[in-house]
Amino acid sequence: MGICLIVDDNNQATISNAPSNECQGYMIPSAVEYQSFINPSLEIDVELFNLVSGALLVTFITGHVLGRIVRYLGKR
């Protein structure tokens, strides 16, 4: 369970034992709660990123070359 931190008008911080639903200040998570917030599934898969960016690059270059060919043939 996290810690309830209350800051008063004089900018002094005090720790309260109030439960999270009754806290009138800031809730600071415990180390275990903080680790549960960190989601390793949000990391970027480098292999998939390289595959997608490579496919996009090849598609762009192919479309550009085909566009040049069609433009050249259209002038004749």
Side-chain angles (χ1 to χ4, degrees), residues 15-49:
I15 296 174
S16 172
N17 290 332
S20 61
N21 56 352
E22 296 177 6
C23 181
Q24 298 295 322
Y26 301 99
M27 283 300 297
I28 300 175
S30 66
V32 174
E33 291 173 331
Y34 177 73
Q35 288 297 326
S36 70
F37 290 135
I38 299 173
N39 189 356
S41 66
L42 294 177
E43 294 179 5
I44 296 175
D45 185 7
V46 177
E47 188 173 321
L48 180 62
F49 175 78

Side-chain angles (χ1 to χ4, degrees), residues 37-65:
F37 290 135
I38 299 173
N39 189 356
S41 66
L42 294 177
E43 294 179 5
I44 296 175
D45 185 7
V46 177
E47 188 173 321
L48 180 62
F49 175 78
N50 289 337
L51 179 69
V52 171
S53 61
L56 288 173
L57 182 63
V58 168
T59 303
F60 173 75
I61 292 172
T62 303
H64 185 71
V65 169

Side-chain angles (χ1 to χ4, degrees), residues 3-22:
I3 299 172
C4 180
L5 182 70
I6 300 172
V7 180
D8 61 7
D9 295 334
N10 296 330
N11 291 332
Q12 292 184 350
T14 56
I15 296 174
S16 172
N17 290 332
S20 61
N21 56 352
E22 296 177 6

